[in-house]
Amino acid sequence: MDPWSGAGAQEAVGHLVSRLAGCSVRVEQVLAGCRDIQLLEWQSPAGQAYREAVSVQAAALAQSLERLAEARAAVSRFVPEVPLSGSSTLAGGSLPGQAFPGWP
């Protein structure tokens, strides 16, 4: 029996979508903090260098946020493709974390 078939798979995929959404929220929070830092008007060369470093990191985080959105959309598209078998667990009666060690 395929562990990714049935309602358990939908539950697992739904959990993954939720985790991706939570990560997106956290990245948005960090980006807001980066923007706050960039608005500070430090006159020293060290302060300016710090702001520039934060700017580089903010750009990387913005790109990560885009990738998270893409991943979330891809996983969301997968949900309707999972066939329902009437089971609320994965193969063997286990929950996603039990069936797949290391599951988030």
Side-chain angles (χ1 to χ4, degrees):
M1 180 188 227
D2 180 10
W4 282 106
S5 65
Q10 284 187 330
E11 180 182 335
V13 172
H15 178 72
L16 181 57
V17 169
S18 295
R19 295 279 312 258
L20 288 167
C23 289
S24 296
V25 168
R26 183 65 184 127
V27 170
E28 288 170 351
Q29 292 170 341
V30 172
L31 274 172
C34 289
R35 288 185 201 106
D36 290 344
I37 290 171
Q38 290 172 321
L39 292 176
L40 296 174
E41 294 188 27
W42 291 328
Q43 300 300 319
S44 71
Q48 291 173 352
Y50 180 69
R51 273 199 338 236
E52 288 176 19
V54 168
S55 176
V56 170
Q57 296 303 315
L61 283 169
Q63 196 172 39
S64 296
L65 189 60
E66 291 173 13
R67 299 300 173 263
L68 281 167
E70 291 170 6
R72 203 168 142 201
V75 172
S76 293
R77 282 191 302 270
F78 176 75
V79 173
E81 296 175 15
V82 177
L84 286 175
S85 69
S87 171
S88 62
T89 58
L90 298 176
S94 62
L95 297 172
Q98 296 166 334
F100 304 103
W103 180 259

